[in-house]
Amino acid sequence: MTACNGTDMAGMSVNSFAALSLEPPLVLWSIRKESGSLKIFQEARHYAVNILSDNQVDLSNLFSKGDEDKFSKTGWFKGKLGAPLLRDVICTLECSLENTIDGGDHLILIGRVKHYTRYNGTPLLFYQGRYGVANDLSSIMNQTEAEKNASFTSKYNTHLSLLRRLHYVSHLVSSRFNTQRQELNISVAEFRIYSWLNSQAMSKQELQACIYLSQEEIKDALQEMENRNHLEYITNEKIHLTNSGREYAMFINQRVKSFEAKMIQNIDKKDLETALRVIDNLITQAKNA
Ligand SMILES: Cc1cc2nc3c(=O)[nH]c(=O)nc-3n(C[C@H](O)[C@H](O)[C@H](O)COP(=O)(O)O)c2cc1C
């Protein structure tokens, strides 16, 4: 969301945006009452919605910071109603501020869409504490396995970036594993923490860096695991699994292994070795980039 009150500009990443009405064309989003940007959004009387594309995670992160001089670090231009419009986004909606409604610790800002522009691209999503892209579930569900493969290959074959392929496969494989995880009655965060702590003791910060989930989710997971007596804190703030925690982690590991074995059963052994080598190579390159 971006706005300008005549002198100052404000911009912030939000995911509370929603369509509200077609006739008249209204949209809404909510802003934290304590946000440093609230005053500008109220004074401006206009705001712009900038829908980010899947390669704009950095931009989203930039606009989720408080004091940063965000607009000097990215391309933008002044829109018809005065709000700054970000470059290379996939859609912009320029809105007049129609109404505001109290919403607890947030203020709901209803906007009337006055102008819009749409470009091609895949929207960036944020769910369960991480970024992602949407998959077309209804069309995928109505297809046979062969059709799925064919449509995936023809749709993505030529220009699908490596990153999109990696996203897609990671999303598909982990959603297949979700059924098993739900049977175990553990959260995604717990699942990942058991796997990491199984091999080493780690601090909360170290876990945060490799688990890619929100602090809140990690905190809740650690609490659950502590209640099960699966965790203990050793000196220098490292967390490690207790004996029963380690046993449980091994049990989960077995489930993962048999799931993976089924998943790869039809892949040629040589192809698999090559794929693993390429992935390891990519990890090393990305780490050193
Ligand atoms: C993916 C994502 C979604 C967010 N959604 C909202 C939101 O709906 N409303 C909100 O007030 N803040 C939201 N935030 C947080 C704001 O971006 C952040 O608090 C703000 O940019 C910080 O600057 P400020 O406090 O000066 O406004 C979100 C952040 C991210 C990364």
Side-chain angles (χ1 to χ4, degrees):
M1 300 295 167
T2 48
C4 176
N5 64 2
T7 40
D8 296 316
M9 292 193 290
M12 65 196 291
S13 300
V14 314
N15 63 353
S16 51
F17 170 75
L20 175 61
S21 154
L22 289 177
E23 193 46 61
L26 301 176
V27 294
L28 62 79
W29 65 287
S30 66
I31 183 168
R32 205 165 44 93
K33 284 182 185 159
E34 296 201 336
S35 163
S37 309
L38 176 68
K39 193 165 168 276
I40 299 178
F41 277 103
Q42 283 178 312
E43 288 169 355
R45 308 302 308 165
H46 296 104
Y47 63 78
V49 183
N50 304 261
I51 310 281
L52 304 187
S53 82
D54 62 344
N55 60 4
Q56 291 181 312
V57 171
D58 287 349
L59 194 60
S60 174
N61 286 335
L62 174 66
F63 277 89
S64 59
K65 290 180 191 142
D67 301 323
E68 200 91 25
D69 180 11
K70 302 155 190 167
F71 291 92
S72 69
K73 295 182 180 158
T74 190
W76 62 276
F77 59 97
K78 201 168 164 185
K80 293 189 178 75
L81 304 178
L85 304 182
L86 302 180
R87 288 203 189 276
D88 301 321
V89 296
I90 62 170
C91 171
T92 56
L93 307 174
E94 291 177 75
C95 308
S96 59
L97 184 59
E98 181 89 358
N99 201 357
T100 58
I101 300 174
D102 190 79
D105 59 354
H106 280 58
L107 187 73
I108 302 166
L109 285 83
I110 297 179
R112 182 185 284 247
V113 181
K114 298 282 189 181
H115 307 281
Y116 75 91
T117 326
R118 252 182 83 182
Y119 309 92
N120 282 335
T122 308
L124 176 66
L125 305 184
F126 189 77
Y127 64 106
Q128 292 194 333
R130 57 203 157 118
Y131 291 103
V133 290
N135 287 308
D136 189 346
L137 193 59
S138 55
S139 63
I140 289 175
M141 278 166 77
N142 294 332
Q143 287 173 341
T144 64
E145 236 8 83
E147 281 168 345
K148 267 184 238 170
N149 289 339
S151 81
F152 177 74
T153 331
S154 62
K155 196 162 156 200
Y156 295 118
N157 202 6
T158 43
H159 337 282
L160 179 65
S161 71
L162 178 66
L163 205 57
R164 289 278 309 277
R165 277 172 205 258
L166 293 174
H167 263 309
Y168 193 62
V169 71
S170 143
H171 172 80
L172 284 181
V173 174
S174 56
S175 53
R176 294 270 149 85
F177 185 73
N178 260 348
T179 341
Q180 307 237 1
R181 191 180 51 72
Q182 278 155 6
E183 274 170 30
L184 295 168
N185 203 12
I186 55 172
S187 68
V188 177
E190 287 165 60
F191 172 73
R192 293 186 190 168
I193 295 173
Y194 277 114
S195 331
W196 278 97
L197 291 187
N198 198 15
S199 50
Q200 60 201 308
M202 291 167 90
S203 68
K204 257 190 205 164
Q205 284 76 10
E206 286 166 335
L207 279 173
Q208 211 110 49
C210 46
I211 281 182
Y212 309 118
L213 290 173
S214 68
Q215 284 187 17
E216 236 5 74
E217 280 167 296
I218 295 176
K219 201 174 120 220
D220 289 349
L222 290 173
Q223 189 57 58
E224 278 295 321
M225 291 168 72
E226 210 178 336
N227 295 347
R228 274 181 225 130
N229 287 329
H230 284 179
L231 281 189
E232 58 194 8
Y233 292 78
I234 48 178
T235 47
N236 66 359
E237 299 201 329
K238 296 256 182 194
I239 309 164
H240 77 157
L241 294 176
T242 57
N243 283 343
S244 53
R246 199 158 300 119
E247 262 173 39
Y248 196 62
M250 309 269 234
F251 167 68
I252 296 175
N253 200 22
Q254 281 309 322
R255 303 271 304 234
V256 174
K257 278 196 170 149
S258 56
F259 166 80
E260 281 190 355
K262 268 198 203 137
M263 193 99 213
I264 59 173
Q265 65 190 349
N266 295 326
I267 300 179
D268 181 83
K269 215 167 158 238
K270 280 231 160 63
D271 283 351
L272 193 63
E273 278 168 13
T274 313
L276 293 178
R277 220 175 29 247
V278 173
I279 291 171
D280 285 346
N281 213 331
L282 280 171
I283 294 173
T284 316
Q285 305 237 7
K287 271 186 176 167
N288 298 333

